[in-house]
Structure formats: structure tokens, C-alpha cells
Amino acid sequence: MNSGAISRRYAKALLAYAKDTNHEDLVYKQVKGFIRHYLRVPELRLALENPTVDKNKKLALLEEASRRGVTCEELTRFLKLVLDKGREKLLLFIFYSYMDLYRTEKNIHRGKLITAVPLPRETKEALRTLITRKLTGTIEFDTKVDPELLGGYILLMEFHHVDASVASQLRGVKKQFIDKNRRIV
């Protein structure tokens, strides 16, 4: 059986268990925290995959990574299950699958906003409100600052791509000049 199918099954089980106790939102937040920590601290991955590290130490590391040492009972029990079954190498995939299932069920749309300068919170909220008018559900987007854009923004929302950056407009003008000069020669 492949790791994707295994991860999906574990994620479905975690979501069902969290829904039964009405803590799926809390588990979602803690799973997001774990993923952020897991990606920033490569030593965590190495410790989890090390067979010589005790399961209790691994559990303590996982709890620390998911929410500063305080995890909800549902997530703690799930982590114990994963460790008992020896599936800690799949934990990141399981958590990504959980987030995907959660977002689908809660009708949460993901996106990415890239700007040349950091945006004030009010501007981000205005943009979120504007997008919400077009899409039903909740909008979550990550922001990134890329000074190479020179100005404007790039918005990536699921299957939509809006590039309103100065850099792309300059590339368009440059392309027009090159095409025009080719016709002259």
C-alpha cells in the first residue's frame, strides 16, 4: 500500500474523531502549528525518523511542535497511535491530508498573495472581503513579500492567477518592443 493512501486513511480517522468531540477546529490549528515547526526545524524530522529515540521522547517532541507543549486530547491520542503503529515517517503527509480534508469540509479556499512591500492588515482584510464576494466559503491566504515585483501584486487562488505586478507589465512592454523590432528587420 502506498504512503498517500495510508496518510489519507489516518487523516480521515483523525478528522472523524475530532468531529465526534467537536474539536476539529482546534486540531486544525495545532496541525498547522506542527507543520510550520516541522518545516522550520529539520532536526525534528531526524529525531522522529530515528529508531533509537524512545516513543515517549518522540511524543514529547510532537506535542511541543504542534502547540508549544499543549495539545488537545484528540491529537495526543492520535500521535500515540501513529507512534505505536510506527508511522511517524508519514506524519507530515497525514497532517497535510487532514488539512486538505478539513478545508474541503469547511469550504475553505487557499491562496497566496505576493506583494512588493508588506501590506497593512486592513488592506489584506479588504482583499479577503473582495475575494469572498466571488467565492463562497472562507478565504485563507499566505502573504509573501518579493521586492523584485517593483510594485503591484500577484494573487494565486486555487485555479486563478492574477498578476498585477509592475515587473510583469515591464516584461510585457519589453516583449512588445522585441516583437515590433523583429517585424521591421
Side-chain angles (χ1 to χ4, degrees), residues 70-85:
V70 180
T71 57
C72 62
E73 179 187 344
E74 294 81 8
L75 191 56
T76 301
R77 290 184 70 192
F78 180 76
L79 292 173
K80 286 179 184 176
L81 172 74
V82 169
L83 291 172
D84 287 342
K85 298 295 182 182

Side-chain angles (χ1 to χ4, degrees), residues 20-32:
D20 286 347
T21 58
N22 292 322
H23 287 123
E24 67 266 23
D25 299 334
L26 179 60
V27 171
Y28 176 73
K29 288 177 186 175
Q30 291 181 353
V31 163
K32 279 175 60 174

Side-chain angles (χ1 to χ4, degrees), residues 159-182:
F159 301 109
H160 304 287
H161 181 120
V162 178
D163 189 345
S165 66
V166 172
S168 80
Q169 292 174 6
L170 288 174
R171 282 191 301 271
V173 170
K174 179 181 176 181
K175 185 180 181 305
Q176 286 177 352
F177 281 128
I178 291 171
D179 290 344
K180 197 171 200 177
N181 286 336
R182 284 188 184 148

Side-chain angles (χ1 to χ4, degrees), residues 26-89:
L26 179 60
V27 171
Y28 176 73
K29 288 177 186 175
Q30 291 181 353
V31 163
K32 279 175 60 174
F34 170 82
I35 290 173
R36 266 193 309 274
H37 196 75
Y38 188 89
L39 295 174
R40 287 184 188 151
V41 183
E43 294 84 11
L44 175 62
R45 179 179 48 83
L46 296 173
L48 289 176
E49 293 178 3
N50 188 342
T52 62
V53 176
D54 182 56
K55 288 182 183 181
N56 291 329
K57 288 183 181 179
K58 287 182 181 182
L59 182 61
L61 285 171
L62 290 170
E63 288 179 334
E64 181 65 31
S66 62
R67 199 61 175 167
R68 296 179 201 95
V70 180
T71 57
C72 62
E73 179 187 344
E74 294 81 8
L75 191 56
T76 301
R77 290 184 70 192
F78 180 76
L79 292 173
K80 286 179 184 176
L81 172 74
V82 169
L83 291 172
D84 287 342
K85 298 295 182 182
R87 303 286 191 187
E88 53 267 18
K89 289 182 181 179

Side-chain angles (χ1 to χ4, degrees), residues 84-146:
D84 287 342
K85 298 295 182 182
R87 303 286 191 187
E88 53 267 18
K89 289 182 181 179
L90 298 176
L91 201 53
L92 185 64
F93 300 113
I94 293 169
F95 282 167
Y96 273 127
S97 294
Y98 177 85
M99 290 176 56
D100 184 49
L101 291 169
Y102 177 88
R103 288 177 183 142
T104 301
E105 187 163 306
K106 299 287 186 173
N107 199 19
I108 297 173
H109 302 279
R110 295 274 303 147
K112 186 172 192 175
L113 178 65
I114 305 168
T115 59
V117 295
L119 290 179
R121 191 174 61 85
E122 299 82 27
T123 306
K124 290 179 194 175
E125 289 304 318
L127 184 59
R128 184 176 318 223
T129 303
L130 182 68
I131 295 169
T132 304
R133 289 183 196 156
K134 299 290 181 183
L135 297 172
T136 58
T138 307
I139 307 299
E140 275 186 5
F141 56 79
D142 299 323
T143 57
K144 179 182 173 186
V145 176
D146 183 3

